[in-house]
Amino acid sequence: MPAETLTNQVILVAGGTGGVGEEIVRFLLGAGATVAVPSRSDANLQRLRDYCADAGPGQLHTLQQEMNTPDGADNVRAWLRERTGGRLDAVVAALNGRFYGKPFHTLAWAEWQDFLANYLTAHFLTARTFLPLLEKQGGGRYLMINGGAADAVYPGAVELSVAASAQLAMTKGMALETAGSGVQVSSLVIYSRVATRHEAATYPGQVTSQQVAEHVAALLTSSDYNPRHVVHALHLTPASSLA
Ligand SMILES: NC(=O)c1ccc[n+]([C@@H]2O[C@H](COP(=O)([O-])OP(=O)(O)OC[C@H]3O[C@@H](n4cnc5c(N)ncnc54)[C@H](OP(=O)(O)O)[C@@H]3O)[C@@H](O)[C@H]2O)c1
């Protein structure tokens, strides 16, 4: 399918206010999609709306709402139904890429709770709330954004690896469990720090948030899908590839 098929597609971007997510939102709007973004912070949503004001023909809907409680996720579903008449074509989950910068076993109780809620539960509830909608409609795309910490462990950021490997397991498992439903579940794993408008590139070949957005669009419009091979790698440029 050509990228033009994003026109008028309804796409939920969980994490759409983040460093990676906001560029995905902007790119999808430029391609004519209707994009819905929940966030815990109204200030972050205002920053996203400002950044996307000249993005292009698509429509942006925003809602201040956390996604780490069942009620919060239900609110997002109800809001989406009201905004789009219940239609949903794709979900991009670009949640949380931060780390605490200390040995894992020294995380404070509050940090551990934050980790569970926002790195794991938010992903679980996004899937639990929106995958059934896609299944009910008979198809759609569910794309999780992930990082190289899924395959490696970095001192001071062990929680990122714990979250990233769990996320990978979610992707692979949900792809198998929804096989045949018409829903395509996959992951884009980025093997580089991402240069964003907030964080300039610090080494050659560093992947940019624009490149991530282009890959996301390519995956959302690709007709090539095998539920047993759902992990796509994005490496340092120029050797970036959709594996
Ligand atoms: N940044 C990089 O260099 C990099 C590199 C490789 C891979 N990645 C991957 O890219 C993905 C996104 O990373 P990022 O750096 O863009 O993260 P980020 O800047 O920390 O953004 C996280 C996003 O998740 C949202 N979020 C977190 N918890 C939420 C909750 N409970 N309810 C609703 N929204 C919630 C945040 O929204 P609010 O704060 O507005 O609520 C924000 O939009 C991650 O999977 C990461 O592993 C990033």
Short mmCIF file of all heavy atoms in Angstrom, two decimals, residues 149-196:
data_model
loop_
_atom_site.label_atom_id
_atom_site.label_comp_id
_atom_site.label_asym_id
_atom_site.label_seq_id
_atom_site.Cartn_x
_atom_site.Cartn_y
_atom_site.Cartn_z
N ALA A 149 17.57 -1.38 24.06
CA ALA A 149 17.66 -1.96 25.41
C ALA A 149 16.89 -3.27 25.49
O ALA A 149 17.04 -4.01 26.47
CB ALA A 149 17.11 -0.96 26.44
N ALA A 150 16.09 -3.57 24.47
CA ALA A 150 15.40 -4.86 24.43
C ALA A 150 16.40 -6.01 24.31
O ALA A 150 16.13 -7.14 24.73
CB ALA A 150 14.41 -4.89 23.27
N ASP A 151 17.58 -5.73 23.72
CA ASP A 151 18.57 -6.77 23.45
C ASP A 151 19.83 -6.63 24.30
O ASP A 151 20.70 -7.49 24.24
CB ASP A 151 19.04 -6.71 21.99
CG ASP A 151 17.95 -7.07 21.03
OD1 ASP A 151 16.97 -7.68 21.45
OD2 ASP A 151 18.08 -6.71 19.84
N ALA A 152 19.96 -5.54 25.00
CA ALA A 152 21.20 -5.27 25.74
C ALA A 152 20.87 -4.63 27.08
O ALA A 152 19.79 -4.07 27.25
CB ALA A 152 22.09 -4.34 24.93
N VAL A 153 21.82 -4.72 28.00
CA VAL A 153 21.61 -4.13 29.33
C VAL A 153 22.68 -3.07 29.56
O VAL A 153 23.86 -3.31 29.33
CB VAL A 153 21.71 -5.22 30.42
CG1 VAL A 153 21.55 -4.59 31.80
CG2 VAL A 153 20.63 -6.27 30.22
N TYR A 154 22.24 -1.89 29.97
CA TYR A 154 23.17 -0.79 30.22
C TYR A 154 23.15 -0.41 31.69
O TYR A 154 22.07 -0.12 32.23
CB TYR A 154 22.78 0.43 29.38
CG TYR A 154 22.67 0.13 27.90
CD1 TYR A 154 21.43 -0.08 27.30
CD2 TYR A 154 23.82 0.00 27.12
CE1 TYR A 154 21.34 -0.38 25.95
CE2 TYR A 154 23.74 -0.31 25.78
CZ TYR A 154 22.49 -0.50 25.19
OH TYR A 154 22.40 -0.81 23.87
N PRO A 155 24.33 -0.44 32.37
CA PRO A 155 24.36 -0.03 33.78
C PRO A 155 23.75 1.37 33.94
O PRO A 155 24.03 2.27 33.14
CB PRO A 155 25.86 -0.01 34.11
CG PRO A 155 26.46 -0.97 33.14
CD PRO A 155 25.66 -0.83 31.87
N GLY A 156 22.92 1.52 34.94
CA GLY A 156 22.27 2.81 35.17
C GLY A 156 20.95 2.95 34.44
O GLY A 156 20.23 3.94 34.64
N ALA A 157 20.65 1.98 33.56
CA ALA A 157 19.38 2.04 32.81
C ALA A 157 18.78 0.64 32.69
O ALA A 157 18.14 0.32 31.69
CB ALA A 157 19.62 2.64 31.42
N VAL A 158 19.01 -0.17 33.71
CA VAL A 158 18.54 -1.57 33.66
C VAL A 158 17.02 -1.62 33.50
O VAL A 158 16.47 -2.48 32.79
CB VAL A 158 19.01 -2.34 34.91
CG1 VAL A 158 18.38 -3.72 34.99
CG2 VAL A 158 20.53 -2.45 34.91
N GLU A 159 16.31 -0.66 34.15
CA GLU A 159 14.85 -0.68 34.06
C GLU A 159 14.39 -0.52 32.61
O GLU A 159 13.34 -1.05 32.23
CB GLU A 159 14.22 0.40 34.96
CG GLU A 159 14.52 1.83 34.61
CD GLU A 159 15.87 2.30 35.18
OE1 GLU A 159 16.66 1.46 35.64
OE2 GLU A 159 16.12 3.52 35.14
N LEU A 160 15.18 0.20 31.79
CA LEU A 160 14.81 0.33 30.37
C LEU A 160 14.84 -1.04 29.69
O LEU A 160 13.97 -1.36 28.88
CB LEU A 160 15.79 1.26 29.65
CG LEU A 160 15.40 2.71 29.44
CD1 LEU A 160 16.35 3.35 28.44
CD2 LEU A 160 13.97 2.84 28.96
N SER A 161 15.85 -1.85 30.03
CA SER A 161 15.96 -3.19 29.43
C SER A 161 14.83 -4.09 29.91
O SER A 161 14.29 -4.89 29.14
CB SER A 161 17.30 -3.83 29.77
OG SER A 161 18.34 -3.06 29.23
N VAL A 162 14.50 -3.98 31.20
CA VAL A 162 13.39 -4.79 31.74
C VAL A 162 12.11 -4.43 30.99
O VAL A 162 11.36 -5.32 30.53
CB VAL A 162 13.22 -4.54 33.25
CG1 VAL A 162 12.01 -5.26 33.80
CG2 VAL A 162 14.48 -4.97 34.00
N ALA A 163 11.87 -3.13 30.81
CA ALA A 163 10.65 -2.70 30.12
C ALA A 163 10.68 -3.08 28.64
O ALA A 163 9.69 -3.57 28.09
CB ALA A 163 10.48 -1.19 30.25
N ALA A 164 11.85 -2.88 28.01
CA ALA A 164 11.93 -3.10 26.56
C ALA A 164 11.79 -4.58 26.23
O ALA A 164 11.14 -4.95 25.23
CB ALA A 164 13.26 -2.57 26.04
N SER A 165 12.38 -5.46 27.06
CA SER A 165 12.24 -6.89 26.75
C SER A 165 10.81 -7.36 27.03
O SER A 165 10.27 -8.19 26.29
CB SER A 165 13.28 -7.74 27.48
OG SER A 165 13.37 -7.37 28.82
N ALA A 166 10.17 -6.78 28.05
CA ALA A 166 8.76 -7.12 28.31
C ALA A 166 7.89 -6.66 27.14
O ALA A 166 6.99 -7.38 26.68
CB ALA A 166 8.30 -6.47 29.60
N GLN A 167 8.20 -5.47 26.64
CA GLN A 167 7.44 -4.92 25.51
C GLN A 167 7.58 -5.81 24.27
O GLN A 167 6.63 -6.02 23.53
CB GLN A 167 8.02 -3.54 25.24
CG GLN A 167 7.05 -2.53 24.70
CD GLN A 167 7.76 -1.21 24.50
OE1 GLN A 167 8.37 -0.67 25.42
NE2 GLN A 167 7.71 -0.69 23.30
N LEU A 168 8.81 -6.31 24.09
CA LEU A 168 9.05 -7.20 22.94
C LEU A 168 8.22 -8.47 23.07
O LEU A 168 7.63 -8.96 22.10
CB LEU A 168 10.54 -7.54 22.88
CG LEU A 168 11.17 -7.72 21.52
CD1 LEU A 168 10.87 -6.56 20.60
CD2 LEU A 168 12.68 -7.87 21.68
N ALA A 169 8.18 -9.00 24.30
CA ALA A 169 7.37 -10.20 24.54
C ALA A 169 5.89 -9.92 24.27
O ALA A 169 5.17 -10.75 23.70
CB ALA A 169 7.57 -10.69 25.97
N MET A 170 5.43 -8.73 24.69
CA MET A 170 4.03 -8.35 24.43
C MET A 170 3.76 -8.35 22.92
O MET A 170 2.77 -8.90 22.45
CB MET A 170 3.73 -6.95 24.97
CG MET A 170 3.68 -6.83 26.48
SD MET A 170 3.19 -5.11 26.94
CE MET A 170 4.11 -4.90 28.45
N THR A 171 4.65 -7.72 22.17
CA THR A 171 4.45 -7.62 20.71
C THR A 171 4.36 -9.02 20.09
O THR A 171 3.42 -9.33 19.34
CB THR A 171 5.62 -6.88 20.03
OG1 THR A 171 5.77 -5.62 20.63
CG2 THR A 171 5.37 -6.72 18.54
N LYS A 172 5.36 -9.86 20.40
CA LYS A 172 5.41 -11.18 19.77
C LYS A 172 4.20 -12.00 20.18
O LYS A 172 3.60 -12.70 19.35
CB LYS A 172 6.71 -11.91 20.17
CG LYS A 172 7.95 -11.29 19.55
CD LYS A 172 9.20 -12.02 20.06
CE LYS A 172 10.46 -11.45 19.46
NZ LYS A 172 11.67 -12.03 20.06
N GLY A 173 3.86 -11.95 21.47
CA GLY A 173 2.72 -12.74 21.95
C GLY A 173 1.41 -12.27 21.36
O GLY A 173 0.60 -13.08 20.90
N MET A 174 1.19 -10.95 21.34
CA MET A 174 -0.08 -10.43 20.83
C MET A 174 -0.20 -10.67 19.32
O MET A 174 -1.29 -10.89 18.81
CB MET A 174 -0.23 -8.95 21.17
CG MET A 174 -0.36 -8.72 22.67
SD MET A 174 -0.82 -7.03 23.15
CE MET A 174 0.47 -6.04 22.40
N ALA A 175 0.94 -10.64 18.62
CA ALA A 175 0.90 -10.92 17.18
C ALA A 175 0.41 -12.34 16.93
O ALA A 175 -0.43 -12.58 16.04
CB ALA A 175 2.29 -10.71 16.57
N LEU A 176 0.91 -13.28 17.72
CA LEU A 176 0.49 -14.68 17.55
C LEU A 176 -0.98 -14.85 17.97
O LEU A 176 -1.75 -15.56 17.32
CB LEU A 176 1.39 -15.61 18.36
CG LEU A 176 2.84 -15.71 17.86
CD1 LEU A 176 3.68 -16.54 18.81
CD2 LEU A 176 2.89 -16.29 16.44
N GLU A 177 -1.34 -14.19 19.07
CA GLU A 177 -2.70 -14.37 19.59
C GLU A 177 -3.76 -13.72 18.72
O GLU A 177 -4.92 -14.10 18.76
CB GLU A 177 -2.78 -13.83 21.03
CG GLU A 177 -2.03 -14.73 22.01
CD GLU A 177 -1.92 -14.16 23.42
OE1 GLU A 177 -2.23 -12.97 23.61
OE2 GLU A 177 -1.51 -14.90 24.31
N THR A 178 -3.38 -12.72 17.93
CA THR A 178 -4.37 -12.06 17.05
C THR A 178 -4.22 -12.51 15.60
O THR A 178 -4.92 -11.99 14.73
CB THR A 178 -4.24 -10.52 17.12
OG1 THR A 178 -2.90 -10.17 16.73
CG2 THR A 178 -4.54 -9.98 18.50
N ALA A 179 -3.31 -13.43 15.34
CA ALA A 179 -3.09 -13.88 13.96
C ALA A 179 -4.41 -14.35 13.36
O ALA A 179 -5.17 -15.07 14.00
CB ALA A 179 -2.07 -15.01 13.94
N GLY A 180 -4.68 -13.92 12.15
CA GLY A 180 -5.91 -14.34 11.48
C GLY A 180 -7.08 -13.41 11.73
O GLY A 180 -8.12 -13.53 11.09
N SER A 181 -6.89 -12.44 12.64
CA SER A 181 -8.00 -11.51 12.96
C SER A 181 -8.02 -10.33 12.01
O SER A 181 -8.96 -9.53 12.03
CB SER A 181 -7.86 -11.00 14.39
OG SER A 181 -6.73 -10.13 14.48
N GLY A 182 -6.94 -10.17 11.23
CA GLY A 182 -6.82 -8.99 10.38
C GLY A 182 -6.02 -7.88 11.05
O GLY A 182 -5.62 -6.93 10.41
N VAL A 183 -5.76 -8.05 12.35
CA VAL A 183 -4.96 -7.06 13.06
C VAL A 183 -3.48 -7.41 12.91
O VAL A 183 -3.10 -8.57 13.02
CB VAL A 183 -5.34 -7.00 14.56
CG1 VAL A 183 -4.48 -5.97 15.29
CG2 VAL A 183 -6.81 -6.68 14.72
N GLN A 184 -2.67 -6.40 12.65
CA GLN A 184 -1.24 -6.61 12.48
C GLN A 184 -0.50 -5.94 13.63
O GLN A 184 -0.49 -4.73 13.74
CB GLN A 184 -0.79 -6.03 11.14
CG GLN A 184 -1.56 -6.64 9.97
CD GLN A 184 -1.02 -6.18 8.62
OE1 GLN A 184 -0.01 -5.48 8.55
NE2 GLN A 184 -1.70 -6.59 7.57
N VAL A 185 0.11 -6.76 14.48
CA VAL A 185 0.84 -6.25 15.64
C VAL A 185 2.34 -6.33 15.35
O VAL A 185 2.83 -7.39 14.93
CB VAL A 185 0.53 -7.08 16.91
CG1 VAL A 185 1.28 -6.53 18.12
CG2 VAL A 185 -0.97 -7.12 17.18
N SER A 186 3.05 -5.24 15.55
CA SER A 186 4.50 -5.29 15.30
C SER A 186 5.24 -4.28 16.17
O SER A 186 4.62 -3.47 16.86
CB SER A 186 4.80 -5.04 13.82
OG SER A 186 4.28 -3.80 13.42
N SER A 187 6.56 -4.37 16.13
CA SER A 187 7.42 -3.44 16.88
C SER A 187 8.44 -2.81 15.95
O SER A 187 8.98 -3.48 15.07
CB SER A 187 8.23 -4.20 17.95
OG SER A 187 7.60 -4.17 19.19
N LEU A 188 8.73 -1.55 16.18
CA LEU A 188 9.89 -0.91 15.56
C LEU A 188 10.90 -0.70 16.67
O LEU A 188 10.65 0.04 17.63
CB LEU A 188 9.49 0.44 14.93
CG LEU A 188 10.64 1.21 14.28
CD1 LEU A 188 11.23 0.42 13.10
CD2 LEU A 188 10.17 2.58 13.80
N VAL A 189 12.05 -1.39 16.56
CA VAL A 189 13.09 -1.29 17.59
C VAL A 189 14.20 -0.38 17.08
O VAL A 189 14.81 -0.66 16.04
CB VAL A 189 13.66 -2.69 17.94
CG1 VAL A 189 14.69 -2.56 19.06
CG2 VAL A 189 12.55 -3.62 18.37
N ILE A 190 14.44 0.70 17.80
CA ILE A 190 15.40 1.71 17.35
C ILE A 190 16.73 1.49 18.07
O ILE A 190 16.81 1.62 19.30
CB ILE A 190 14.88 3.13 17.67
CG1 ILE A 190 13.46 3.31 17.14
CG2 ILE A 190 15.82 4.18 17.10
CD1 ILE A 190 12.72 4.47 17.77
N TYR A 191 17.77 1.15 17.29
CA TYR A 191 19.09 0.85 17.87
C TYR A 191 19.98 2.09 17.81
O TYR A 191 21.06 2.08 17.23
CB TYR A 191 19.74 -0.31 17.12
CG TYR A 191 19.06 -1.62 17.42
CD1 TYR A 191 17.98 -2.04 16.64
CD2 TYR A 191 19.45 -2.42 18.48
CE1 TYR A 191 17.32 -3.23 16.93
CE2 TYR A 191 18.81 -3.61 18.77
CZ TYR A 191 17.76 -4.01 17.99
OH TYR A 191 17.11 -5.19 18.27
N SER A 192 19.50 3.17 18.40
CA SER A 192 20.28 4.41 18.43
C SER A 192 19.58 5.34 19.39
O SER A 192 18.37 5.24 19.59
CB SER A 192 20.27 5.04 17.02
OG SER A 192 20.60 6.40 17.05
N ARG A 193 20.32 6.24 19.99
CA ARG A 193 19.69 7.37 20.66
C ARG A 193 19.00 8.16 19.54
O ARG A 193 19.52 8.22 18.43
CB ARG A 193 20.80 8.17 21.35
CG ARG A 193 20.37 9.19 22.33
CD ARG A 193 19.95 8.66 23.68
NE ARG A 193 18.99 9.62 24.24
CZ ARG A 193 17.90 9.29 24.90
NH1 ARG A 193 17.62 8.03 25.16
NH2 ARG A 193 17.08 10.21 25.33
N VAL A 194 17.84 8.72 19.78
CA VAL A 194 17.14 9.46 18.73
C VAL A 194 17.37 10.96 18.92
O VAL A 194 17.15 11.49 20.01
CB VAL A 194 15.63 9.14 18.77
CG1 VAL A 194 14.89 9.96 17.73
CG2 VAL A 194 15.38 7.64 18.56
N ALA A 195 17.81 11.60 17.85
CA ALA A 195 17.94 13.06 17.88
C ALA A 195 16.55 13.66 17.65
O ALA A 195 15.85 13.29 16.71
CB ALA A 195 18.90 13.53 16.80
N THR A 196 16.15 14.56 18.54
CA THR A 196 14.83 15.18 18.43
C THR A 196 14.99 16.70 18.40
O THR A 196 16.10 17.20 18.53
CB THR A 196 13.96 14.80 19.65
OG1 THR A 196 14.51 15.43 20.81
CG2 THR A 196 13.91 13.29 19.86
#
